[in-house]
């Protein structure tokens, strides 16, 4: 996982609420055995509609997804996070997230930015008006800015989650950070205990 400190990019306005993981990545895509190629399935049923925002060339270089409330609800589906990241998004901004989605996002380096609803709505409308609007998500300071519209909004991250994102630590990386303690334990472990070989 790569460290994430500051994301400065354009946004894509997904003006829908209660977007669940099955809408983010339909279940047909869960049959894949690789962990790649999920960007093709991102919102694939909605993308059949030519007017869907992901088909709008004005937002083709957007790297921040700005959504309505309750984004990522529904079943636990890590594939939803993979699809969003593989499409090119580094952060998702919403007034509320599904708990499991938020947890999966942070463990994979996708930044879930929960803003107060008025700020999130202002940002979403501003992107619709000006697709070139520059948005900055500062993970270290936990602040979102869009200078052109005078927006500066704080968001919160659990301290452990913030550290994970800033240092680029997935679950394996977190474990390896304790390798000295693990090695000490293993060196002093009684010989009569079973071992894996």
């Amino acid at each position: 996982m790569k460290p994430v400190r500051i994301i400065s990019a354009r946004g894509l306005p997904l003006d829908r609420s209660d977007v669940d993981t099955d809408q983010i990545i339909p279940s047909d895509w869960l049959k894949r055995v690789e962990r790649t190629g999920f960007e093709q399935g991102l919102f694939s049923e909605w993308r059949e509609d030519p007017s869907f925002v992901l088909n709008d060339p004005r937002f083709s270089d957007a790297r921040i997804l700005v959504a309505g409330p309750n984004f990522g609800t529904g079943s636990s589906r890590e594939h939803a996070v993979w699809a969003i990241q593989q499409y090119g998004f580094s952060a998702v901004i919403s007034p509320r997230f599904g708990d499991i989605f938020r947890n999966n996002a942070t463990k994979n380096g996708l930044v879930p930015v929960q803003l107060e609803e008025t700020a999130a709505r202002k940002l979403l409308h501003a992107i619709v008006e000006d697709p070139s609007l520059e948005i900055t998500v500062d993970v270290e300071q936990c602040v979102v800015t869009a200078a052109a519209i005078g927006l500066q909004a704080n968001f919160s991250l659990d301290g452990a989650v913030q550290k994970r994102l800033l240092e680029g630590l997935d679950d394996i990386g977190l474990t390896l950070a304790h390798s000295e303690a693990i090695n000490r334990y293993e060196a002093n472990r009684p010989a009569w205990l079973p071992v894996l070989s």
Side-chain angles (χ1 to χ4, degrees):
M1 194 166 104
K2 294 180 181 176
V4 183
R5 294 189 174 278
I6 294 178
I7 303 162
S8 289
R10 295 179 179 185
L12 180 130
L14 183 65
D15 194 5
R16 298 184 186 207
S17 60
D18 304 307
V19 175
D20 66 38
T21 52
D22 192 51
Q23 293 163 328
I24 297 170
I25 185 82
S27 60
D28 293 351
W29 288 87
L30 307 187
K31 299 172 188 170
R32 299 177 64 86
V33 294
E34 310 88 19
R35 194 180 154 175
T36 59
F38 289 101
E39 70 278 3
Q40 298 167 9
L42 180 64
F43 303 120
S44 60
E45 292 179 2
W46 292 346
R47 284 163 73 184
E48 293 172 7
D49 176 358
S51 67
F52 180 59
V53 67
L54 220 61
N55 297 324
D56 189 331
R58 294 177 304 157
F59 303 107
S60 62
D61 62 350
R63 296 296 168 252
I64 299 173
L65 179 61
V66 182
N70 295 328
F71 186 85
T73 60
S75 65
S76 172
R77 192 172 294 187
E78 203 169 14
H79 307 73
V81 172
W82 299 343
I84 291 168
Q85 286 182 302
Q86 290 170 18
Y87 195 85
F89 294 107
S90 301
V92 180
I93 297 173
S94 173
R96 281 185 305 283
F97 290 97
D99 289 338
I100 298 170
F101 175 85
R102 180 186 8 249
N103 189 41
N104 285 340
T106 60
K107 289 186 174 193
N108 284 279
L110 178 68
V111 183
V113 179
Q114 186 166 322
L115 290 185
E116 186 271 328
E117 191 158 2
T118 303
R121 176 76 32 203
K122 177 179 180 178
L123 187 57
L124 195 143
H125 287 305
I127 298 167
V128 171
E129 293 296 317
D130 180 10
S132 68
L133 179 70
E134 189 78 12
I135 304 164
T136 299
V137 175
D138 186 328
V139 175
E140 195 164 18
Q141 301 299 319
C142 289
V143 65
V144 172
T145 55
I149 60 167
L151 177 76
Q152 180 169 328
N154 295 322
F155 63 96
S156 62
L157 287 173
D158 175 84
V161 167
Q162 185 181 33
K163 177 182 170 76
R164 173 190 286 266
L165 292 169
L166 290 171
E167 295 184 16
L169 298 171
D170 58 13
D171 285 346
I172 294 171
L174 285 171
T175 302
L176 291 176
H178 301 283
S179 60
E180 286 183 21
I182 293 168
N183 290 336
R184 273 195 311 275
Y185 171 81
E186 288 297 324
N188 296 313
R189 192 169 174 265
W192 55 268
L193 288 173
V195 295
L196 294 175
S197 53

